[in-house]
Amino acid sequence: MIYLDNAATKATLDIVKQKMKPFLNEYYANPSSNYRFAKKCREAIEKVRNDIAGMLNVMPEEIYFTSGGTESDNWAIKNTAFANKEKGKHIISSRIEHHAVLNSLKYLESIGYEVSYARVMENGMVDVNHIKKLIRTDTTLITCMMSNNETGVIQPIKEIGRLAKKSNITFHTDAVQSFGHNQIDCKELNVDLLSASAHKFGGPKGVGFLYISDKCNTFPYIHGGSQERNMRGGTSNVAGIVGMGVAAVTANENMEAWGSKTRSLRDYMAYRLLKEIPYSRINGDMNYRLDNNINISFQYVNGFTLLELLDAKGICASGASACNSMQKEPSHVLRAMGLPDEIAVGTIRLTLSESNTKEEIDETIKEIKNIVSNLREIQ
Ligand SMILES: *Cc1c(COP(=O)(O)O)cnc(C)c1O
C-alpha cells in the first residue's frame, strides 16, 4: 500500500504508541483522584500542557484538551459568539473553512447570528482587504484557518490578526493542518483562539486541544466536573493526551528535517505530474503552501473514478477532503477559488509525509499517468 493521504490523518508515530502504553496498562488511575497513584497521570497531562504551551508561546493555563479539531472549532466559535452577544452578533469567516467551522457558523446563523464570508483569491488565499471591509462595530469574531486542508495554502494569519487586534475583535484560527508542521507563535500572530488535532501530526485520533487566551471572554463548554479549569468536564483522555504530547514534541524536534524531506519529494512529484500529463494543473499558491500538499486537476477525467482505480492499485489518496469524499460534490474550496466545476471534478489531493519514499512516488506517478490516459481514451 502507498499512503498519500496525510492531510486526512497521519500514521501514529511508533514512539507515540510506546509512550501511551503505560497509560493504557499500569497507570489506569483517574487523574482527578486524590491518592498518589493518580498523581502520575495528572503530572503526565500537565507536562503535555506545558510542552504545547511552550511551542505556541502561551501559558499552560491557556491550553484546554478536547476530543479533536472538530470539538475545538465548535468550542471556539460558539462560545465566543455566546460570550459576546451583548456586543454584537456579527462574525467574519471565509468560504474555504473546514466543515467543523462552516457548520458551526451555519448553526449560529440559524439562531440569529450573522456571518459574512470573505472572498478567496484565485491562488487559494483569503482576501485580507475584503475582511477589512467586512468589519463592523458589532463584529465579535473573525475565524480563519491557518492553512487549508484541501490545497495546503497558508493563509495570511498575521495580517488578519493585526486587523482583528486593531478593531478589538476576537480572532480564532483552525490550525489543524499547521500545528506540528509549521512553527506558530500566538503572540506574534495576535491569535486569541487556536484549534489543533493530534491525529494530523502523528498522534492518536480523538484528542486535540484549544488554546484560549486568558484575555478571552469565555465560559464552560461541557458542563460537568472541574477538569480543564471548569471549562470542559469529563475524565481526561490520559493516554490520548500523553500520545498527543509525544507527537507534538517529536514533530517539533523534526520539523525542519521532515518538512524539507517531504517538500523535496512533493516538488519532484508535482513537477513530473505537470510535465508528463497534459491538461493538468495545480490548484493553489505553490510558495505559500504546506510542504506535503499537491492539489491537482486533470481535465477530461473524473476524479472519483481516478481515485477508485488508484485504490485498486493500493494507492490511498483523496478527493477534495476526507469529509467530502462521500458526497461526490465539487469542492467548496475550489469553487471559492473560482475553478470551474468541470475542472474541479477532475481533482485529487495527494498529501505526503516524511515516511514516503521516492519509489512510492515513482510508482504513483506511473499509475496516475496510465489511468488518466486510459480514462481520456474511453471518453
Ligand atoms: C481534520 C481537520 C479538522 C477536524 O479535526 P478532527 O480532529 O478530525 O475532528 C478540522 N479542521 C481542519 C482544517 C482539518 O484538517
Side-chain angles (χ1 to χ4, degrees), residues 23 29-32 38-52 60 63 65 227-228 234-242 244-245:
F23 293 92
N30 185 322
S32 303
K39 204 171 156 212
K40 177 102 188 164
C41 296
R42 210 155 47 234
E43 283 172 355
I45 291 176
E46 294 317 312
K47 179 181 184 307
V48 177
R49 213 185 297 280
N50 266 299
D51 288 345
I52 288 177
I63 300 295
F65 296 125
Q227 294 90 351
E228 303 302 307
T235 304
S236 310
N237 175 3
V238 184
I241 293 168
V242 167
M244 173 165 66

Side-chain angles (χ1 to χ4, degrees), residues 7 68-70 73 98 100 145 149 174 176-177 197 199-200:
T70 301
D73 287 342
H98 188 273
M145 67 203 324
N149 48 300
D174 173 338
V176 172
Q177 291 289 334
S197 176
H199 75 100
K200 302 287 174 81

